[in-house]
Amino acid sequence: MISLAAPSVTQKVVEIINDVKRIRPSRLRTSSDLSKEFGFDTVDLVSVIWELEKSFQIDIPDELPLNTLGDFVDFVSSHTKNLN
């Protein structure tokens, strides 16, 4: 659930996903499974994670199950101190 996420976090996550795989933002939902619905492979997911870490200056553990747009937004929102 991403109801508490700052809009800027959601927008940035969507922007990064679009940059990695060219998925139109209008096609993404919080429940969108990136692998199943959009064909993201491990390299694509690692690219998203790497860009998120760089953009938000956070560390995302390798073992963390991040599959949906909502998973990414929730994690970033809860681990980012400065949400501007």
Side-chain angles (χ1 to χ4, degrees):
M1 200 170 281
I2 63 167
S3 58
L4 299 177
S8 60
V9 171
T10 302
Q11 290 169 351
K12 186 64 177 176
V13 172
V14 168
E15 179 183 305
I16 288 170
I17 288 170
N18 178 283
D19 289 346
V20 169
K21 199 75 168 180
R22 300 290 178 221
I23 306 295
R24 285 189 321 267
S26 61
R27 294 184 59 205
L28 291 168
R29 299 174 322 280
T30 56
S31 62
S32 295
D33 186 305
L34 300 178
S35 297
K36 292 178 183 173
E37 294 180 43
F38 299 107
F40 275 58
D41 60 18
T42 303
V43 173
D44 296 325
L45 293 173
V46 168
S47 295
V48 170
I49 289 168
W50 187 75
E51 288 297 328
L52 290 171
E53 288 179 332
K54 196 167 67 169
S55 294
F56 291 100
Q57 299 178 357
I58 59 173
D59 290 320
I60 301 174
D62 293 338
E63 65 279 356
L64 195 66
L66 298 172
N67 302 308
T68 67
L69 170 62
D71 292 341
F72 283 104
V73 173
D74 286 344
F75 183 85
V76 171
S77 295
S78 65
H79 290 82
T80 302
K81 294 174 186 162
N82 187 4
L83 295 175
N84 53 10

